[in-house]
Amino acid sequence: MDREFSVLRNITVIVIIFNKITKKQFNSRVGKKLEDKVIQSEKKENVLGTENIGKLLAKFAIPGIISMVVNSLYNIVDQIFIGQGVGYLGNGATSVIFPMATFAMAFALLFGDGAAAYMSLKLGEKDEDEAARGTAAGLVGIVFSGLLIAVLYLIFLKPLCKVFGASDGILPYAIDYGRIIAFGLPLSAICAGGASIIRADGSPKFNMIGLFTGTIINVVLDPVFIFVFHWGVKGAALATILGQAANALLNIIYVAKLSKSVKLDSYVFKKCLSRISKVTKLGISSFITQMALVVAIAIRNNVLVKYGSQSKYGADIPVTTLGITMKTFAIIMSMVIGLAAGAQPIFGYNYGSGRYDRVKKTFKLVAFISTLLCTLAFLLAQLKPMAIISIFGQENDLYNEFAIKCMRIYLLLIPTAGIQIMSGIFFQSLGYPVQASVLSLSKQIIFQIPVTLILPIFMGIEGVLWTGPVSDLLSLLTTIITLAIYWKKIFTKKLI
């Protein structure tokens, strides 16, 4: 009996010792895993907060610039092939439909850029759940707005074309082109709005791949549909939306399966609608910028038709040539916007985490590069205008004469535009929508629209061209004053 008790006691002791050892080892393994996760999490968040600003900006901005340029090429590619295969009336149609597409884009960026800014700020505050809800709210807004605007355009296309400056010669081409573009608006909304969210999630390269895919499809199909099938502007529009469909599909796959920072499930979407107002508050600057462009182009096109018909150039040439100038100008502006959009996560994260010195360094670097890019555009417009114009087709001497004037006069003060555009995105990224909106409104609405209506009274059709440099100068002064007033304040008090 004593022997049995002794054996049982020894077994019990062994079991107790074994349990202690294994429990210690288990706790050690669990602790090690938790420690690894913390280290990985710190490394992940410290990329935006600690890495060299120049390297960080290159990582995010270069893909962003390429993405925005490729995105702007959707319209440029159409216009190049239409100019070669249809003529300048076909190009005039794209100038009429462009502001209508921009109107739809405004809503996509309202929700997309707003969700991106909200995500960056909340991740900087280490609130991943809230970042996910804001992202979901943005996605709902993107899809719904794209569908609604597409339906409205299909119903009211003809009167809308007239509102946006279609002359009698351009109108049939605008209707053919615009009807197909309208069907693709939900796709273009997912492309534009989804791109902002993907960049904020830290995957600018994936966004770039999606845009490249869509553009390559557009470039390949444009000449096939125009020169082989002879579908004219309809073929160009179809090539555009097929490219957008491929891009949109990749964006959907990323958001649903590949997102790094946030996880979107049914629960998140059920709780997201209350965040719509917060998201749109942060995206309002982008929205106003796009809407201001829509209003400005509509007024400008109508003024061009009015005063062009009173000149030797007629109504169609001014609408077409200034449209080409604007789209060429948009390529440089897309570089600036891509640069600033690439810096948006850097601005938002470091501001949210209180690293203000890094925010200031990023701003100064982005401002310098933006000005450099716009100066390059100025040199090209002044020294080689015909080289740019000829890409969009060869026309008569009267057409070429006015096109050269457009390039040289309208882009005269384009070097000042970079700082103005990136400053609006800067304020938006930090959660200052009022200041961002003022800067966005200053050029396109506050200055350009009155100048567009006034100058042609005294200068005729060329007065429309001088609205570019005049509004650039006035908006630059507004930007400098706004930065001087709020530069110190934004680093002592947050509005969100």
Side-chain angles (χ1 to χ4, degrees), residues 7 12 62 130 134 183 190 210 222 224 270 344 377 419 429 496:
V7 171
T12 302
I62 290 177
E130 191 61 24
F183 276 107
I190 295 171
D222 255 331
V224 174
K270 288 178 182 178
Q344 187 174 21
I419 183 86
S429 302
I496 292 181

Side-chain angles (χ1 to χ4, degrees), residues 56-125:
L56 199 58
L57 189 60
K59 177 182 177 181
F60 281 87
I62 290 177
I65 291 171
I66 295 173
S67 297
M68 291 299 296
V69 170
V70 171
N71 190 47
S72 69
L73 286 176
Y74 274 121
N75 277 315
I76 293 292
V77 168
D78 279 356
Q79 200 153 14
I80 290 172
F81 286 111
I82 289 173
Q84 299 290 343
V86 179
Y88 74 89
L89 289 177
N91 266 337
T94 66
S95 297
V96 170
I97 299 302
F98 177 69
M100 296 171 63
T102 304
F103 178 88
M105 181 80 68
F107 285 91
L109 294 181
L110 171 68
F111 297 106
D113 283 2
Y118 194 80
M119 179 196 294
S120 296
L121 287 168
K122 294 306 173 182
L123 289 176
E125 295 170 3

Side-chain angles (χ1 to χ4, degrees), residues 305-467:
V305 169
K306 177 182 177 180
Y307 288 95
S309 62
Q310 300 172 9
S311 72
K312 64 180 180 179
Y313 302 108
D316 298 329
I317 288 176
V319 171
T320 301
T321 53
L322 190 54
I324 289 174
T325 299
M326 289 294 296
K327 289 181 181 178
T328 305
F329 167 79
I331 293 178
I332 299 299
M333 289 301 98
S334 68
M335 293 182 183
V336 175
I337 293 171
L339 176 67
Q344 187 174 21
I346 307 173
F347 287 141
Y349 182 88
N350 286 286
Y351 189 70
S353 58
R355 297 179 175 94
Y356 298 151
D357 58 326
R358 292 177 60 79
V359 177
K360 295 176 183 178
K361 289 179 182 178
T362 305
F363 176 88
K364 293 175 182 177
L365 184 57
V366 173
F368 172 77
I369 298 173
S370 298
T371 303
L372 198 62
L373 289 171
C374 290
T375 302
L376 176 62
F378 166 80
L379 294 174
L380 288 173
Q382 299 304 314
L383 301 177
K384 296 290 183 180
M386 200 59 216
I388 299 172
I389 294 162
S390 61
I391 296 173
F392 299 91
Q394 297 289 338
E395 300 294 341
N396 56 51
D397 292 339
L398 201 61
Y399 174 93
N400 294 336
E401 178 187 330
F402 195 82
I404 291 172
K405 286 184 179 181
C406 282
M407 283 282 175
R408 287 181 170 164
I409 297 175
Y410 194 83
L411 302 182
L412 188 62
L413 289 183
I414 189 177
T416 67
I419 183 86
Q420 191 268 335
I421 290 174
M422 64 83 49
S423 294
I425 296 176
F426 169 74
F427 279 111
Q428 175 180 298
S429 302
L430 271 54
Y432 281 66
V434 175
Q435 291 77 8
S437 300
V438 167
L439 297 185
S440 299
L441 282 169
S442 63
K443 180 177 179 179
Q444 302 292 350
I445 296 292
I446 299 174
F447 301 128
Q448 192 168 88
I449 289 178
V451 173
T452 299
L453 295 172
I454 294 170
L455 286 186
I457 297 174
F458 304 100
M459 302 175 66
I461 190 63
E462 288 190 15
V464 184
L465 307 184
W466 282 100
T467 61

